[in-house]
Amino acid sequence: DAGITQSPRYKITETGRQVTLMCHQTWSHSYMFWYRQDLGHGLRLIYYSAAADITDKGEVPDGYVVSRSKTENFPLTLESATRSQTSVYFCASSVSLERTQYFGPGTRLLVL
Amino acid sequence: GIQVEQSPPDLILQEGANSTLRCNFSDSVNNLQWFHQNPWGQLINLFYIPSGTKQNGRLSATTVATERYSLLYISSSQTTDSGVYFCAVEKSGDRDDKIIFGKGTRLHILP
C-alpha cells in the first residue's frame, strides 16, 4: 500500500541494547523526519533528512543515529538504549520543509 | 530558540459548539502547520498556513505572521474532533530551530 509505514509498531528492549526503528515511504518525498513524543514535551524533532545521504540534527539528536541510503527509507538507531528513550517515535515525510508533513502510525518503544 | 505556546491547554465542549485554538510563537517563521492527533495516536496534517486564512470544511485557520500567532477555528464540533491539536513552526536559517511543536491543546467533545 502507498503511504508511510513504521516498524515495529511496538518494541520492548533493555538498557544498553541497540535498537533500530524503520520508516518507509512510497511517495518519493525528499524530506523525512523522526520525532519523539513524550508527555509534557509534545513532539520533538530528532533528525531529519533532505534527501538520500543528507541528514541533519533536530532538537534532540543525542543518543540517536540515522542514515538515508535510499530515498524511501529512513531508519533511526538507538546505539545504546537508555530508559529516557522510552517514548513514542513518529516518522514523517514531505515534499519539502515548506510543505505538508505526513506521519507514520508511530512506534511505541519501552526501554527497561 | 523559538518558543511556541498553545492555548488553552485543555478544552471541553458540547457537540455542536464552536472553538478557537491559539498558537503564539516568539519569532518570525516561514512555515506553520496545524496537526490533529486523534485519541488513537494518529497524527494528521490539517493546514499548512505560514500566513493568511484557509478553510477546509468545518475547520479554518488564520495566521498573522506579523503579530506572531495563528488561530484554528472548529465550527459545529463533532465527537470525532476530539484529540490533541498541535501547531508546529519552522524558522529557516536557524540551525538550532528546525521544526518546533507546541505542547498542544487537548480537545474533548462531549456527545
Side-chain angles (χ1 to χ4, degrees):
Chain A
D1 290 340
I4 183 165
T5 56
Q6 293 182 234
S7 62
R9 295 292 312 278
Y10 304 90
K11 177 73 176 179
I12 301 174
T13 191
E14 295 177 332
T15 301
R17 290 191 179 268
Q18 183 179 80
V19 178
T20 296
L21 310 184
M22 303 301 295
C23 180
H24 175 77
Q25 52 102 358
T26 62
W27 294 304
S28 298
H29 284 171
S30 295
Y31 279 79
M32 295 187 75
F33 309 84
W34 274 108
Y35 296 90
R36 59 178 290 173
Q37 185 176 28
D38 307 286
L39 283 174
H41 290 282
L43 279 149
R44 292 181 291 176
L45 180 65
I46 304 170
Y47 270 96
Y48 73 102
S49 168
D53 297 322
I54 300 174
T55 62
D56 205 351
K57 296 178 180 179
E59 187 182 355
V60 288
D62 294 342
Y64 303 95
V65 174
V66 293
S67 62
R68 188 132 179 245
S69 59
K70 293 184 178 181
T71 299
E72 61 266 30
N73 297 323
F74 191 37
L76 176 74
T77 297
L78 290 65
E79 292 191 304
S80 179
T82 63
R83 290 180 182 171
S84 65
Q85 292 176 310
T86 291
S87 187
V88 180
Y89 291 86
F90 287 97
C91 177
S93 72
S94 69
V95 173
S96 71
L97 275 179
E98 289 77 30
R99 288 295 177 259
T100 298
Q101 290 187 40
Y102 297 90
F103 284 80
T107 293
R108 294 182 183 278
L109 176 67
L110 174 62
V111 182
L112 300 175
Chain B
I2 192 168
Q3 304 296 315
V4 181
E5 294 185 359
Q6 292 187 241
S7 59
D10 292 277
L11 188 57
I12 301 174
L13 297 171
Q14 288 292 139
E15 197 168 26
N18 302 329
S19 59
T20 301
L21 283 57
R22 187 176 181 101
C23 174
N24 291 334
F25 39 97
S26 61
D27 203 346
S28 58
V29 299
N30 65 352
N31 182 6
L32 186 144
Q33 300 188 58
W34 282 97
F35 297 88
H36 175 222
Q37 186 171 34
N38 66 23
W40 296 270
Q42 185 182 13
L43 275 159
I44 297 172
N45 176 271
L46 297 175
F47 294 103
Y48 163 75
I49 186 166
S51 64
T53 297
K54 289 186 177 180
Q55 181 157 6
N56 183 4
R58 296 181 296 102
L59 274 61
S60 64
T62 295
T63 297
V64 183
T66 53
E67 297 186 22
R68 300 179 184 171
Y69 73 90
S70 183
L71 302 173
L72 177 69
Y73 305 96
I74 305 174
S75 64
S76 304
S77 299
Q78 300 177 358
T79 56
T80 52
D81 296 330
S82 295
V84 184
Y85 290 81
F86 294 100
C87 71
V89 303
E90 189 258 333
K91 179 178 169 62
S92 67
D94 183 339
R95 294 187 66 85
D96 293 330
D97 282 345
K98 278 303 172 185
I99 299 170
I100 302 296
F101 278 70
K103 289 185 168 52
T105 291
R106 186 174 297 275
L107 179 63
H108 302 267
I109 303 298
L110 304 175

